[in-house]
């Protein structure tokens, strides 16, 4: 009996020892695995960026968001300005188109002076005021009534009607407005009647010939695709480049009478 108990205790002790050894081995293996995993883990979660770098990064993110917000704001402003401008064209068409012409003639004259002036010369602001006055008082109202007249005489937008409007513009409106422009500008500069006529003889025909190379395409787009109430705006937009040339021609010296 006693021998049996000894054998049983010996066997249980042996089993307990083997179980303990197995646990110790598992624990050691677990610790070794944990160390390996810890060594193989990326350093990034345990690495803290310097404050200066993190602040710069935060500022960069904020600047990007701020830039996006500014772009959205300016887009909204542009849309609202366009809606306001279209409403003004319908409510006060002559005044709106006149102010638009004045602004375009002002910008065109400043551009023309920037191209032609040397670094030592200053801008002729009186000349700029003359050009703005011509756009405000003469060209703006004239464009309004001219395009309305063309839409009444030729209400269709087919090719034949478009070509008739273009021919009327090149044959009547263009030469008449060019002569008015040169004559009025020369008169405001103090030139006499004979000097004005001499200027027209010298400058009117070359200007008209150059206009034939520029305006037909502009007039085709305007008459063919643009609504009547926006035709003056589109024509003014096309006239920016032309006005740079016109203001240069108007600033030439007096012709010999």
């Amino acid at each position: 009996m006693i021998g049996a108990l000894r054998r049983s205790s010996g066997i249980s002790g042996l089993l307990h020892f083997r179980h303990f050894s197995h646990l110790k081995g598992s624990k050691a293996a677990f610790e070794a695995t944990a160390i390996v995993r810890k060594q193989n883990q990326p350093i990034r979660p345990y690495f803290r960026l310097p404050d200066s770098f993190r602040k710069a990064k935060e500022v960069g993110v904020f600047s990007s968001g701020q830039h996006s917000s500014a772009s959205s704001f300016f887009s909204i402003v542009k849309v609202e300005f366009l809606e306001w401008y279209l409403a003004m064209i319908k409510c006060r068409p002559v005044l709106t188109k006149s102010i638009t012409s004045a602004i375009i003639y002002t910008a065109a004259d400043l551009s023309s002076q920037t191209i032609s002036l040397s670094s030592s010369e200053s801008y002729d602001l009186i000349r700029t005021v003359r050009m703005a006055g011509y756009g405000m008082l003469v060209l703006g109202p004239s464009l309004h009534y001219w395009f309305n007249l063309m839409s009444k005489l030729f209400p269709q937008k087919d090719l034949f009607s478009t070509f008739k409007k273009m021919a009327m513009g090149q044959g009547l409106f263009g030469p008449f407005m060019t002569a008015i422009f040169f004559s009025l500008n020369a008169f405001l500069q103090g030139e006499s009647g004979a000097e004005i006529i001499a200027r027209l003889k010298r400058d009117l025909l070359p200007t008209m010939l150059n206009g034939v190379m520029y305006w037909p395409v502009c007039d085709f787009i305007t008459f063919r695709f643009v609504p009547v109430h926006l035709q003056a705006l589109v024509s003014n937009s096309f006239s920016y480049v032309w006005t740079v040339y016109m203001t240069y021609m108007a600033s030439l010296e007096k012709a010999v009478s």
Side-chain angles (χ1 to χ4, degrees), residues 121-143:
E121 295 177 321
S122 59
Y123 286 91
D124 186 357
L125 298 181
I126 302 299
R127 165 183 155 177
T128 305
V129 171
R130 285 200 308 269
M131 299 304 166
Y134 172 81
M136 179 76 181
L137 301 175
V138 180
L139 184 64
S142 300
L143 287 175

mmCIF file of all heavy atoms in Angstrom, residues 121-143:
data_model
loop_
_atom_site.group_PDB
_atom_site.id
_atom_site.type_symbol
_atom_site.label_atom_id
_atom_site.label_comp_id
_atom_site.label_asym_id
_atom_site.label_seq_id
_atom_site.Cartn_x
_atom_site.Cartn_y
_atom_site.Cartn_z
ATOM 1 N N GLU A 121 10.015 107.829 -68.772
ATOM 2 C CA GLU A 121 8.799 108.601 -69.010
ATOM 3 C C GLU A 121 7.698 108.196 -68.045
ATOM 4 O O GLU A 121 7.676 107.059 -67.536
ATOM 5 C CB GLU A 121 8.325 108.404 -70.460
ATOM 6 C CG GLU A 121 9.291 108.956 -71.500
ATOM 7 C CD GLU A 121 8.829 108.677 -72.914
ATOM 8 O OE1 GLU A 121 8.302 107.565 -73.152
ATOM 9 O OE2 GLU A 121 8.988 109.551 -73.782
ATOM 10 N N SER A 122 6.793 109.118 -67.795
ATOM 11 C CA SER A 122 5.671 108.867 -66.892
ATOM 12 C C SER A 122 4.382 108.737 -67.698
ATOM 13 O O SER A 122 4.305 109.136 -68.861
ATOM 14 C CB SER A 122 5.535 110.003 -65.874
ATOM 15 O OG SER A 122 5.335 111.247 -66.540
ATOM 16 N N TYR A 123 3.369 108.198 -67.058
ATOM 17 C CA TYR A 123 2.086 107.988 -67.720
ATOM 18 C C TYR A 123 1.391 109.332 -67.950
ATOM 19 O O TYR A 123 1.426 110.226 -67.107
ATOM 20 C CB TYR A 123 1.193 107.081 -66.883
ATOM 21 C CG TYR A 123 1.611 105.631 -66.913
ATOM 22 C CD1 TYR A 123 2.502 105.129 -65.966
ATOM 23 C CD2 TYR A 123 1.115 104.764 -67.878
ATOM 24 C CE1 TYR A 123 2.887 103.790 -65.991
ATOM 25 C CE2 TYR A 123 1.497 103.434 -67.901
ATOM 26 C CZ TYR A 123 2.373 102.955 -66.964
ATOM 27 O OH TYR A 123 2.757 101.634 -66.987
ATOM 28 N N ASP A 124 0.728 109.423 -69.098
ATOM 29 C CA ASP A 124 -0.082 110.597 -69.438
ATOM 30 C C ASP A 124 -1.509 110.321 -68.969
ATOM 31 O O ASP A 124 -2.326 109.740 -69.693
ATOM 32 C CB ASP A 124 -0.027 110.846 -70.945
ATOM 33 C CG ASP A 124 -0.735 112.139 -71.338
ATOM 34 O OD1 ASP A 124 -1.307 112.795 -70.445
ATOM 35 O OD2 ASP A 124 -0.718 112.487 -72.537
ATOM 36 N N LEU A 125 -1.807 110.739 -67.759
ATOM 37 C CA LEU A 125 -3.121 110.456 -67.187
ATOM 38 C C LEU A 125 -4.226 111.262 -67.860
ATOM 39 O O LEU A 125 -5.382 110.833 -67.875
ATOM 40 C CB LEU A 125 -3.105 110.728 -65.680
ATOM 41 C CG LEU A 125 -2.130 109.863 -64.869
ATOM 42 C CD1 LEU A 125 -2.232 110.205 -63.384
ATOM 43 C CD2 LEU A 125 -2.405 108.379 -65.089
ATOM 44 N N ILE A 126 -3.894 112.429 -68.409
ATOM 45 C CA ILE A 126 -4.890 113.204 -69.150
ATOM 46 C C ILE A 126 -5.352 112.426 -70.373
ATOM 47 O O ILE A 126 -6.554 112.386 -70.698
ATOM 48 C CB ILE A 126 -4.315 114.572 -69.555
ATOM 49 C CG1 ILE A 126 -3.862 115.358 -68.320
ATOM 50 C CG2 ILE A 126 -5.351 115.366 -70.350
ATOM 51 C CD1 ILE A 126 -4.977 115.650 -67.344
ATOM 52 N N ARG A 127 -4.417 111.794 -71.033
ATOM 53 C CA ARG A 127 -4.765 110.944 -72.184
ATOM 54 C C ARG A 127 -5.672 109.796 -71.735
ATOM 55 O O ARG A 127 -6.661 109.483 -72.415
ATOM 56 C CB ARG A 127 -3.482 110.423 -72.828
ATOM 57 C CG ARG A 127 -3.691 109.268 -73.781
ATOM 58 C CD ARG A 127 -2.366 108.760 -74.316
ATOM 59 N NE ARG A 127 -2.457 107.371 -74.731
ATOM 60 C CZ ARG A 127 -1.460 106.689 -75.286
ATOM 61 N NH1 ARG A 127 -0.275 107.264 -75.470
ATOM 62 N NH2 ARG A 127 -1.625 105.436 -75.652
ATOM 63 N N THR A 128 -5.369 109.198 -70.609
ATOM 64 C CA THR A 128 -6.201 108.105 -70.101
ATOM 65 C C THR A 128 -7.604 108.584 -69.791
ATOM 66 O O THR A 128 -8.584 107.880 -70.068
ATOM 67 C CB THR A 128 -5.545 107.490 -68.850
ATOM 68 O OG1 THR A 128 -4.208 107.076 -69.155
ATOM 69 C CG2 THR A 128 -6.338 106.304 -68.349
ATOM 70 N N VAL A 129 -7.719 109.776 -69.234
ATOM 71 C CA VAL A 129 -9.046 110.333 -68.938
ATOM 72 C C VAL A 129 -9.816 110.583 -70.235
ATOM 73 O O VAL A 129 -11.033 110.343 -70.309
ATOM 74 C CB VAL A 129 -8.911 111.622 -68.105
ATOM 75 C CG1 VAL A 129 -10.256 112.331 -67.970
ATOM 76 C CG2 VAL A 129 -8.345 111.304 -66.725
ATOM 77 N N ARG A 130 -9.134 111.043 -71.273
ATOM 78 C CA ARG A 130 -9.802 111.248 -72.559
ATOM 79 C C ARG A 130 -10.349 109.940 -73.100
ATOM 80 O O ARG A 130 -11.488 109.872 -73.591
ATOM 81 C CB ARG A 130 -8.824 111.852 -73.577
ATOM 82 C CG ARG A 130 -8.511 113.316 -73.375
ATOM 83 C CD ARG A 130 -7.951 113.935 -74.658
ATOM 84 N NE ARG A 130 -6.835 113.183 -75.200
ATOM 85 C CZ ARG A 130 -5.557 113.421 -74.900
ATOM 86 N NH1 ARG A 130 -5.237 114.389 -74.055
ATOM 87 N NH2 ARG A 130 -4.594 112.696 -75.445
ATOM 88 N N MET A 131 -9.558 108.887 -73.021
ATOM 89 C CA MET A 131 -10.004 107.592 -73.523
ATOM 90 C C MET A 131 -11.170 107.059 -72.698
ATOM 91 O O MET A 131 -12.131 106.505 -73.248
ATOM 92 C CB MET A 131 -8.847 106.583 -73.497
ATOM 93 C CG MET A 131 -7.661 106.990 -74.357
ATOM 94 S SD MET A 131 -8.148 107.291 -76.084
ATOM 95 C CE MET A 131 -6.689 108.128 -76.705
ATOM 96 N N ALA A 132 -11.103 107.214 -71.392
ATOM 97 C CA ALA A 132 -12.205 106.763 -70.545
ATOM 98 C C ALA A 132 -13.478 107.543 -70.839
ATOM 99 O O ALA A 132 -14.580 106.978 -70.873
ATOM 100 C CB ALA A 132 -11.818 106.900 -69.076
ATOM 101 N N GLY A 133 -13.336 108.849 -71.067
ATOM 102 C CA GLY A 133 -14.497 109.668 -71.401
ATOM 103 C C GLY A 133 -15.115 109.260 -72.723
ATOM 104 O O GLY A 133 -16.349 109.236 -72.865
ATOM 105 N N TYR A 134 -14.275 108.922 -73.702
ATOM 106 C CA TYR A 134 -14.807 108.464 -74.989
ATOM 107 C C TYR A 134 -15.586 107.160 -74.808
ATOM 108 O O TYR A 134 -16.685 106.986 -75.355
ATOM 109 C CB TYR A 134 -13.667 108.273 -75.987
ATOM 110 C CG TYR A 134 -14.103 107.628 -77.272
ATOM 111 C CD1 TYR A 134 -14.706 108.390 -78.275
ATOM 112 C CD2 TYR A 134 -13.920 106.263 -77.495
ATOM 113 C CE1 TYR A 134 -15.120 107.801 -79.465
ATOM 114 C CE2 TYR A 134 -14.327 105.670 -78.677
ATOM 115 C CZ TYR A 134 -14.930 106.439 -79.654
ATOM 116 O OH TYR A 134 -15.344 105.852 -80.824
ATOM 117 N N GLY A 135 -15.036 106.221 -74.043
ATOM 118 C CA GLY A 135 -15.750 104.971 -73.811
ATOM 119 C C GLY A 135 -17.052 105.182 -73.056
ATOM 120 O O GLY A 135 -18.062 104.531 -73.361
ATOM 121 N N MET A 136 -17.036 106.113 -72.094
ATOM 122 C CA MET A 136 -18.213 106.344 -71.262
ATOM 123 C C MET A 136 -19.313 107.089 -72.017
ATOM 124 O O MET A 136 -20.490 106.717 -71.964
ATOM 125 C CB MET A 136 -17.789 107.150 -70.032
ATOM 126 C CG MET A 136 -18.932 107.495 -69.082
ATOM 127 S SD MET A 136 -19.411 106.074 -68.111
ATOM 128 C CE MET A 136 -20.756 106.776 -67.147
ATOM 129 N N LEU A 137 -18.956 108.134 -72.724
ATOM 130 C CA LEU A 137 -19.954 109.038 -73.298
ATOM 131 C C LEU A 137 -20.297 108.739 -74.753
ATOM 132 O O LEU A 137 -21.379 109.122 -75.211
ATOM 133 C CB LEU A 137 -19.463 110.488 -73.183
ATOM 134 C CG LEU A 137 -19.168 110.975 -71.761
ATOM 135 C CD1 LEU A 137 -18.586 112.378 -71.797
ATOM 136 C CD2 LEU A 137 -20.413 110.913 -70.888
ATOM 137 N N VAL A 138 -19.391 108.093 -75.477
ATOM 138 C CA VAL A 138 -19.611 107.892 -76.915
ATOM 139 C C VAL A 138 -19.787 106.415 -77.251
ATOM 140 O O VAL A 138 -20.828 105.991 -77.768
ATOM 141 C CB VAL A 138 -18.452 108.506 -77.726
ATOM 142 C CG1 VAL A 138 -18.682 108.283 -79.224
ATOM 143 C CG2 VAL A 138 -18.306 109.988 -77.426
ATOM 144 N N LEU A 139 -18.773 105.606 -76.970
ATOM 145 C CA LEU A 139 -18.791 104.232 -77.451
ATOM 146 C C LEU A 139 -19.829 103.377 -76.731
ATOM 147 O O LEU A 139 -20.549 102.598 -77.377
ATOM 148 C CB LEU A 139 -17.401 103.608 -77.296
ATOM 149 C CG LEU A 139 -17.281 102.196 -77.867
ATOM 150 C CD1 LEU A 139 -17.496 102.211 -79.376
ATOM 151 C CD2 LEU A 139 -15.936 101.586 -77.522
ATOM 152 N N GLY A 140 -19.903 103.474 -75.413
ATOM 153 C CA GLY A 140 -20.845 102.639 -74.667
ATOM 154 C C GLY A 140 -22.283 102.797 -75.134
ATOM 155 O O GLY A 140 -22.940 101.807 -75.505
ATOM 156 N N PRO A 141 -22.826 104.024 -75.140
ATOM 157 C CA PRO A 141 -24.189 104.208 -75.652
ATOM 158 C C PRO A 141 -24.343 103.809 -77.118
ATOM 159 O O PRO A 141 -25.369 103.250 -77.516
ATOM 160 C CB PRO A 141 -24.444 105.704 -75.449
ATOM 161 C CG PRO A 141 -23.499 106.102 -74.356
ATOM 162 C CD PRO A 141 -22.290 105.258 -74.553
ATOM 163 N N SER A 142 -23.314 104.101 -77.937
ATOM 164 C CA SER A 142 -23.398 103.766 -79.360
ATOM 165 C C SER A 142 -23.497 102.261 -79.574
ATOM 166 O O SER A 142 -24.287 101.786 -80.416
ATOM 167 C CB SER A 142 -22.181 104.322 -80.102
ATOM 168 O OG SER A 142 -22.099 105.726 -79.975
ATOM 169 N N LEU A 143 -22.721 101.484 -78.833
ATOM 170 C CA LEU A 143 -22.799 100.029 -78.963
ATOM 171 C C LEU A 143 -24.175 99.507 -78.570
ATOM 172 O O LEU A 143 -24.717 98.594 -79.210
ATOM 173 C CB LEU A 143 -21.717 99.372 -78.095
ATOM 174 C CG LEU A 143 -20.275 99.469 -78.580
ATOM 175 C CD1 LEU A 143 -19.329 98.871 -77.550
ATOM 176 C CD2 LEU A 143 -20.091 98.792 -79.930
#
